[in-house]
Amino acid sequence: MQQEQNRNYWIIVLTVAVGTFMAALDSSIVNVAIPVIQDFFQVSLTMVEWVITAYLLVVSSLLLTFGRLSDLYGQKKLYLVGMVIFTISSMLCGLAASITQLISFRILQALGAGMMFSAGPAIITNSVPPEKRGQALSFTAVAVSIALVTGPVLGGFLVTVFHWSSIFFINIPIGLAAIYFVIRNIPNDQKSRSIPFDKIGSLLISAALILIIFPLETSGDSSLKPVFLFAMLGVGLITAVIFVLVELKSEHPILDIALFKNRVFAASNVAAAFSFLAQFIMTFLVPFYLQKLRLFTPATAGLLYIPLPLASLVVAPISGMLSDRYDSRYLSTAGMAVMACGLFMLSFLNEHTATAYIIVSMAITGMGSGLFQTPNNSAVLGNVPPQNRGTASGMLATMRNIGMAFGVAISGSLFSLLSKRAEVFNAAKGLTGLQVKQASFIYALHITFLVAGVFALLAMVASFVKGEVKPDIRKQLEGI
C-alpha cells in the first residue's frame, strides 16, 4: 500500500516537472536567440529587451492573483488552463511578423506561464509527505536544469539551421504531451470553501508591480523623460503601500501579510528575489558577449552556456535530499556564496578570455544556483499552513520573477549607460573604431557583473538571517 502511494505521488511530481520543463525550456531558448531576433527585426537593444521583460512583467504582476485563484478554485484547473494558453501562445509567437506582435504574444504566453508557476509547487507540496518535500521539489529543479541544458544547445541549433521562430514551435509537441499527462495523472481538485476573491487586492498588487517594474525596465530608453519614469515609480511605491494597508484590513486577502511575520518565509522570499536578480543580469548579457564581442555562432554560444545549468542539474538533487535532513539555511547560504564567486569570475571576461575560463566560471555559478534553490523553496512552502500553499507558491514565484525582471532591467540599463560613457572616455584617449567599441563593451560588462555579484551576496545574507529550518520544525507546522 505504501509503495503504491509513493508511486502515485512521484507520478504527480514528474507530471508537474514536465510543465516546468516546458516553461524553463522556453526561457533558455529565447535568451540565446535574443541577439538574432534583434538583428532580424533591426531594432534597438532596449526594444528587443521587451521580448524578455514584457513576459516577466506580466508574470510578476499576476502570480499572486493566480496563486490565490488556485487556492480558491483548484490548482489542477489553473495549471491545466495555463498549460493550454502557454502552448497556443507559443505557436502565435512563432508566427509573429513584427517585434510588436512578438512582444504581444509573449504577454499572452506569460499569462499561461504565470498560472503554471503559481500552481505547480503547491500541487507538489500538497501531494508529497513533508519528509520527502525537499527531494520532490528538487525534481522540478532538475527539470529546470535539464531544460536549461537543452535550451541553449537546441535553441542555438534551431536558430542556426532553421529560423528564430522554431524556438517557439518546439513548445507545441511538449505542451500537448504535458496537457495529456496533467489530465491523466494529477488528482482532481477537492472542493474548497466558498471564499470571496479579493478583487481590489488583485488590482492593487498588479498595478503596483507594473508601475514599479516598468520604469526600471525602460530607464535606458532616451525617448522617455526621467521625470515621467520617477513619477511612475513613485506612484507604484504608493500603490504598494496602499495594497499592504488594504490587505491588513481585508477579511479574505489575496496575500496574508501575517505570513511575513514568519522570518523564514520572509527572508527566503527576499533571498529568492536577489538570487534571480543576480543570475538574470548574467543570463541576459552572456549571449551578447559570446555572439557580439566574441562572434560565436548561436549554436556555439549555446554550447558554452551549458556548464551553468549542467552544474545546477548535478547539485540540485543532492541539495534537495540534504535539505530533508539538515538545516537548509546553511545550504542556501553556501549556494549564494558560490554563485557570487562565479559572477565575480565572469566580471573578468574580455575579448581574449580562454574558453576554459568561461566554462569554469559558468559551472561555478550554476553550482551555486543548484545548491540554493531547492532548500530555499522548501523553506518557503514548508513554513505556511496547507490552505495558504497556493498563495505562498505564488509569492515565491512572484519574487523569483521580480528578480528576473529587475535583473534584465538593471543589466540592460546599466550596461547601456556604462558603455556609452566609456565610448566617450575611450575616444578621448585616442582609441578609434572597433577598439572603442570593444574596450567600452568590456568595461560595461565588468562593472555590470560586479553588481550581479553584490546582489548574490545580499541573497546570501538574507538566507543566513532567516533562522533555523529543520525537518522536525516543518513537521510540527504540518501537524505531524
Side-chain angles (χ1 to χ4, degrees):
M1 183 68 178
Q2 182 64 41
Q3 187 176 3
E4 180 67 19
Q5 289 178 343
N6 290 344
R7 188 183 70 84
N8 288 339
Y9 72 67
W10 283 118
I11 288 175
I12 294 171
V13 170
L14 290 172
T15 300
V16 172
V18 171
T20 304
F21 172 86
M22 181 174 67
L25 180 70
D26 179 76
S27 173
S28 59
I29 285 181
V30 171
N31 282 334
V32 78
I34 284 294
V36 177
I37 294 174
Q38 180 187 18
D39 292 339
F40 180 84
F41 287 116
Q42 292 296 296
V43 293
S44 66
L45 176 63
T46 303
M47 177 60 76
V48 77
E49 198 177 306
W50 279 99
V51 175
I52 297 176
T53 55
Y55 179 91
L56 294 174
L57 182 63
V58 173
V59 171
S60 301
S61 64
L62 292 175
L63 280 170
L64 280 176
T65 298
F66 289 145
R68 187 57 179 159
L69 286 173
S70 74
D71 285 335
L72 296 178
Y73 302 111
Q75 289 147 5
K76 178 180 179 177
K77 290 188 184 73
L78 199 76
Y79 193 80
L80 184 59
V81 170
M83 194 166 286
V84 171
I85 292 174
F86 189 91
T87 303
I88 293 173
S89 58
S90 294
M91 179 184 68
L92 295 174
C93 285
L95 296 173
S98 68
I99 192 67
T100 304
Q101 286 185 13
L102 178 57
I103 293 170
S104 299
F105 294 139
R106 284 282 284 171
I107 291 172
L108 181 61
Q109 194 179 41
L111 293 175
M115 294 178 186
M116 290 193 291
F117 286 147
S118 294
I123 290 173
I124 290 177
T125 306
N126 286 337
S127 304
V128 177
E131 67 274 13
K132 294 289 186 181
R133 185 180 300 124
Q135 188 178 359
L137 289 171
S138 73
F139 268 76
T140 60
V142 169
V144 170
S145 296
I146 293 174
L148 292 176
V149 170
T150 307
V153 180
L154 181 60
F157 171 78
L158 292 173
V159 169
T160 302
V161 177
F162 299 105
H163 189 263
W164 64 262
S165 59
S166 59
I167 66 173
F168 295 106
F169 291 143
I170 195 67
N171 287 329
I172 298 174
I174 300 174
L176 292 174
I179 290 169
Y180 168 78
F181 288 131
V182 170
I183 294 172
R184 174 169 178 164
N185 295 331
I186 295 180
N188 291 328
D189 299 305
Q190 300 294 319
K191 289 185 178 180
S192 58
R193 293 182 298 138
S194 179
I195 301 175
F197 177 64
D198 182 12
K199 296 178 182 177
I200 295 177
S202 176
L203 290 173
L204 284 172
I205 188 60
S206 297
L209 289 172
I210 290 173
L211 289 169
I212 291 171
I213 295 175
F214 181 84
L216 294 174
E217 296 287 359
T218 54
S219 58
D221 190 347
S222 58
S223 65
L224 297 175
K225 294 182 178 181
V227 174
F228 169 76
L229 297 178
F230 278 115
M232 182 177 288
L233 182 60
V235 173
L237 293 173
I238 293 171
T239 305
V241 172
I242 295 173
F243 165 75
V244 172
L245 296 175
V246 169
E247 294 302 279
L248 286 171
K249 295 181 180 180
S250 176
E251 187 176 354
H252 303 290
I254 190 171
L255 175 62
D256 187 356
I257 303 298
L259 291 174
F260 286 91
K261 294 179 181 178
N262 183 315
R263 191 171 66 173
V264 173
F265 178 86
S268 297
N269 274 290
V270 172
F274 279 132
S275 72
F276 278 96
L277 196 161
Q279 186 170 329
F280 257 65
I281 289 177
M282 179 273 301
T283 301
F284 181 73
L285 287 181
V286 164
F288 285 94
Y289 164 75
L290 294 174
Q291 295 179 50
K292 296 288 187 179
L293 184 67
R294 301 299 298 270
L295 302 180
F296 291 128
T297 65
T300 303
L303 288 171
L304 289 174
Y305 188 82
I306 281 181
L308 187 149
L310 186 61
S312 182
L313 168 65
V314 173
V315 172
I318 300 171
S319 179
M321 288 186 287
L322 289 174
S323 72
D324 289 328
R325 300 181 181 181
Y326 305 105
D327 187 350
S328 68
R329 169 180 48 169
Y330 299 113
L331 292 169
S332 54
T333 300
M336 281 298 95
V338 172
M339 178 185 280
C341 290
L343 291 170
F344 286 133
M345 289 178 65
L346 287 168
S347 72
F348 291 99
L349 295 179
N350 57 50
E351 70 272 32
H352 303 301
T353 300
T355 302
Y357 183 89
I358 299 173
I359 292 172
V360 171
S361 301
M362 297 288 281
I364 291 174
T365 305
M367 287 173 60
S369 178
L371 188 59
F372 168 81
Q373 295 301 337
T374 303
N376 193 70
N377 292 353
S378 184
V380 170
L381 294 170
N383 278 270
V384 296
Q387 66 271 20
N388 291 121
R389 289 228 177 96
T391 302
S393 178
M395 186 67 217
L396 181 61
T398 298
M399 299 303 284
R400 178 179 66 237
N401 281 272
I402 286 176
M404 290 178 180
F406 281 10
V408 174
I410 290 172
S411 61
S413 300
L414 184 61
F415 182 84
S416 297
L417 176 65
L418 290 171
S419 59
K420 287 176 183 177
R421 290 187 176 182
E423 283 181 5
V424 175
F425 176 76
N426 288 320
K429 287 173 59 177
L431 298 180
T432 58
L434 183 61
Q435 290 179 322
V436 171
K437 291 188 177 297
Q438 286 184 338
S440 302
F441 189 103
I442 293 165
Y443 171 78
L445 194 74
H446 173 71
I447 300 299
T448 308
F449 274 142
L450 286 177
V451 171
V454 170
F455 280 119
L457 292 177
L458 290 174
M460 180 188 74
V461 173
S463 293
F464 185 75
V465 302
K466 69 186 176 186
E468 192 176 38
V469 184
K470 288 187 176 180
D472 58 335
I473 293 175
R474 293 200 299 267
K475 289 180 182 179
Q476 289 171 19
L477 290 164
E478 294 289 344
I480 291 177

